[in-house]
Amino acid sequence: MHIEANKKVVKKSDKEVFDFLIDVKNFKVLMPENIDKFEILDENTFKFALSGMPEIVLRLKEQYSNKKVVLGAASDKLPFTLTADIKSLEENESEVSLSFEGEFNAMMAMMIKSPITKFMETLSGNMDKI
C-alpha cells in the first residue's frame, strides 16, 4: 500500500528541515491533536498512539543529508516506512513530500487506509511548525 500526502512548502532551508526530522523527539510537534501518547524510547525511536488506534513504534532507519529521512516500524509484524523527501527551493524554503509504504493484506489495508491517509495529511500540514 502506497500513500502520499500533499507536498508542503516550508519556510526553512533543506538543512533545517532535515535536522528537525532526524531528531525523533520533534515528531511530537507534528502529531495530530488527538494523540493519546508520545514517548521517546531512545535517540532513534519513539512510540505514539492516536485515539482509538494501537500504539505504533517508529525508528529512524535511513537518512540522506538534507534530502531524505526514512522512519520505519520497529516491529516486523506490520512492516511499513514513512519517508520525508526534502527538496530545496530557495535558501530559506523547502518542499517536503511525505509518503507511506506498507505491506498489508487486503482486509488490513482497507481498514487502515483512511486513518493513515488522514494521519499523513496532518503531519504534512503541521510542517509549518518546524
Side-chain angles (χ1 to χ4, degrees), residues 31-32 48 50 82 114-124:
M31 289 289 159
F48 72 97
L50 303 175
L82 174 61
S114 177
I116 295 286
T117 301
K118 186 175 179 186
F119 175 69
M120 296 285 291
E121 289 299 335
T122 301
L123 289 180
S124 181

Side-chain angles (χ1 to χ4, degrees), residues 14-33:
D14 55 351
K15 181 179 179 357
E16 288 174 290
V17 173
F18 177 80
D19 289 346
F20 181 91
L21 293 176
I22 61 169
D23 188 348
V24 297
K25 73 176 180 296
N26 289 332
F27 275 84
K28 186 169 188 175
V29 173
L30 303 176
M31 289 289 159
E33 289 180 13

Side-chain angles (χ1 to χ4, degrees), residues 83-94:
T83 302
D85 287 299
I86 306 161
K87 178 180 169 187
S88 179
L89 300 176
E90 293 180 22
E91 186 179 332
N92 287 309
E93 190 174 76
S94 303

Side-chain angles (χ1 to χ4, degrees), residues 4 7 13 30 35 43 47 49 87 102-103 124:
E4 285 187 29
K7 293 178 180 178
S13 71
L30 303 176
I35 188 166
E43 66 182 22
K47 172 173 36 177
K87 178 180 169 187
E103 296 176 29
S124 181

